Amino acid sequence: MRLSGKNVLILGAYGFIGAAVTRSLRAEGAQVSAFVRSGATGARVLPDVTLVQGDLRACLRPEDWVAALSGIGCVVNCAGALQDGPADDLEAVHHTAIAALGKACEQCGIAVVQISAIGATADAGTDFMRTKAAGDAALGARAIPLWVFRPGLVIGQSDYGGTALLRMLAAVPLLQPVAYPKTPVQCVGMPDLCHAVSAAVAKELPQGAYDLVEDEPAPLSEVLEETRRWMGFPTARVTIHMPAFLTASVAACADALGWLGWRSPLRRNALTLMAEGVVGNPAPYQTASAQSLETLPEIYAGLTCAREHRLSARMALLMPLVVAVLSVFWVLSGVFGLVGLSQAAAVLTNAGWGVGMATTSVLFWSLIDIALGLAILWRPWAARACLAQCGVALFYLLAASFAVPDLWLDPLGPLTKILPAIVLPLVAWPLLQSR
């Protein structure tokens, strides 16, 4: 195998691109180490890969990289973040840490393959692109073997970011909403991207910067139609072109949710990039590699779309609604308990409870309800909040059946209505699993 004996460190190794590159390099014989933020996630996504746990936000000096680079011949940087947030710092992740990495690699004679982005320039319109450009420039200033790849819209078997958004939009029944329908987009298939990285690691490709894109751009509306066709969804009966003010409102909401830890592909940076288009120059890579990249129809022809892909797209579309409903349900349940404190306590006193105990119980569990309704909105807690909601609802059902069994015969069915409150969090829980 052509990469036998190559020791490669991959940054962002369990991400959408990073995981595919990791598996591709391993398949070609490379010894791969994965630099990951979460060891647990890394072990789940890449169970047979050597993990190096670290956080780019904490690797801001060359000496911070010494241990991770021991025995490494090439670093492939697939790490990135779309926008600043509680878990993301664009300047640190895209620039400061990469500049430190470049200096450390220069001292050790290590090659670097940088996955950048089309449109990454110092005067770009988003901090995502500006920080990416700063990282590229910092690496370019070092005396190291360097390949910089700027992929177009990456289409792979799995989905994340822009690819996930395409599939979510394609899953909308009957209607096809689309913003910026005429925006030109050039795509690249994940296999072509992985092949380019392998060629760089093998030093079969001249050093330099390359746009990895298909030959011709297509309007975003056509990309979306092609995605819908590949996924096997019926052709939309009506196409809705979203006006600019509505798109801006959606981005503002997504940005606000971003500070609660939700990494929506509808945030400001993503929509700004989409409005500007995803267009590159395929000629330099064609000349260097003596080949063109697959077109979008060819990319999709090489991918399998099965029931699980359609189900994933539909559930991703429903997830915000499910989370919102669960939050409103639990918060209102607690608020109504506090507002109707005397009436709620009377149900228990009529069953033989003391007034103090009944009132305290209603107060306590009302506050628990409100806490659970708010907890699911904080992304790092959301999955665990779902399990807690399920457990508390089940406790309510069992406790009420024991303490106030007559409620089962109540015409309004208060205990019967607990059953959906037990099941819906279990539906949401797997949707909230990252990676």
Side-chain angles (χ1 to χ4, degrees):
M1 292 185 282
R2 64 173 177 165
L3 297 184
S4 294
K6 298 284 187 179
N7 294 320
V8 183
L9 177 69
I10 300 182
L11 312 186
Y14 56 59
F16 173 53
I17 293 175
V21 168
T22 298
R23 296 182 182 113
S24 174
L25 293 181
R26 279 170 53 84
E28 298 205 52
Q31 293 293 321
V32 175
S33 298
F35 188 91
V36 297
R37 183 186 297 186
S38 168
T41 303
R44 184 171 65 250
V45 177
L46 303 168
D48 300 323
V49 177
T50 300
L51 301 180
V52 179
Q53 191 165 354
D55 191 332
L56 290 179
R57 296 171 299 175
C59 296
L60 307 180
R61 304 170 302 168
E63 52 266 34
D64 296 330
W65 288 100
V66 173
L69 295 177
S70 178
I72 297 298
C74 181
V75 175
V76 180
N77 178 27
C78 301
L82 177 63
Q83 200 160 310
D84 286 327
D88 296 311
D89 181 338
L90 296 188
E91 178 63 25
V93 171
H94 292 167
H95 178 209
T96 311
I98 302 310
L101 170 68
K103 186 172 183 179
C105 287
E106 183 180 46
Q107 294 169 351
C108 301
I110 297 173
V112 176
V113 178
Q114 165 84 337
I115 306 299
S116 186
I118 286 178
T121 60
D123 59 351
T126 65
D127 49 359
F128 171 83
M129 288 298 185
R130 291 192 296 271
T131 53
K132 273 287 188 182
D136 297 347
L139 291 174
R142 296 296 170 185
I144 55 174
L146 175 65
W147 293 262
V148 177
F149 292 125
R150 297 185 288 257
L153 180 60
V154 181
I155 306 295
Q157 188 68 62
S158 61
D159 61 3
Y160 192 75
T163 309
L165 179 58
L166 277 180
R167 296 183 186 182
M168 287 168 58
L169 292 175
V172 177
L174 302 178
L175 307 176
Q176 185 57 82
V178 56
Y180 316 115
K182 297 182 180 180
T183 295
V185 176
Q186 286 172 289
C187 300
V188 59
M190 188 69 81
D192 279 334
L193 173 56
C194 291
H195 177 78
V197 173
S198 295
V201 173
K203 298 185 178 179
E204 297 172 355
L205 187 71
Q207 296 176 38
Y210 301 98
D211 293 345
L212 299 181
V213 293
E214 58 187 323
D215 289 352
E216 299 294 334
L220 179 58
S221 57
E222 290 185 13
V223 174
L224 195 50
E225 288 174 12
E226 192 71 37
T227 302
R228 193 175 186 115
R229 186 161 43 249
W230 172 74
M231 298 195 75
F233 291 127
T235 302
R237 296 183 182 180
V238 179
T239 297
I240 300 176
H241 295 169
M242 295 176 63
F245 79 89
L246 182 57
T247 302
S249 299
V250 170
C253 291
D255 282 352
L257 291 173
W259 291 104
L260 293 176
W262 298 92
R263 295 176 169 180
S264 170
L266 292 171
R267 283 176 289 172
R268 181 186 68 256
N269 277 354
L271 293 184
T272 299
L273 297 177
M274 192 58 68
E276 294 174 349
V278 183
V279 179
N281 179 10
Y285 184 73
Q286 289 176 357
T287 301
S289 64
Q291 62 180 3
S292 295
L293 302 185
E294 289 184 327
T295 64
L296 183 60
E298 291 171 336
I299 294 169
Y300 277 138
L303 299 177
T304 300
C305 183
R307 176 179 175 274
E308 57 266 27
H309 297 94
R310 289 185 285 273
L311 179 62
S312 175
R314 286 169 172 149
M315 296 309 291
L317 190 64
L318 287 173
M319 186 182 73
L321 179 61
V322 171
V323 171
V325 166
L326 285 171
S327 179
V328 170
F329 171 80
W330 284 89
V331 169
L332 289 183
S333 177
V335 169
F336 291 157
L338 295 177
V339 171
L341 179 60
S342 58
Q343 292 173 293
V347 174
L348 297 176
T349 56
N350 291 339
W353 288 44
V355 174
M357 181 178 293
T359 302
T360 301
S361 178
V362 173
L363 279 172
F364 175 78
W365 290 109
S366 293
L367 294 175
I368 290 293
D369 288 355
I370 294 172
L372 290 176
L374 296 177
I376 198 172
L377 296 178
W378 176 243
R379 181 63 181 89
W381 294 352
R384 285 171 288 182
C386 284
L387 296 180
Q389 288 175 353
C390 178
V392 170
L394 182 60
F395 171 77
Y396 287 164
L397 185 67
L398 296 176
S401 297
F402 176 77
V404 199
D406 290 348
L407 287 179
W408 279 108
L409 303 178
D410 190 301
L412 296 180
L415 295 189
T416 304
K417 292 172 182 175
I418 293 179
L419 296 176
I422 295 173
V423 174
L424 189 57
L426 293 180
V427 173
W429 178 71
L431 301 180
L432 292 166
Q433 304 303 306
S434 62
R435 305 298 179 184

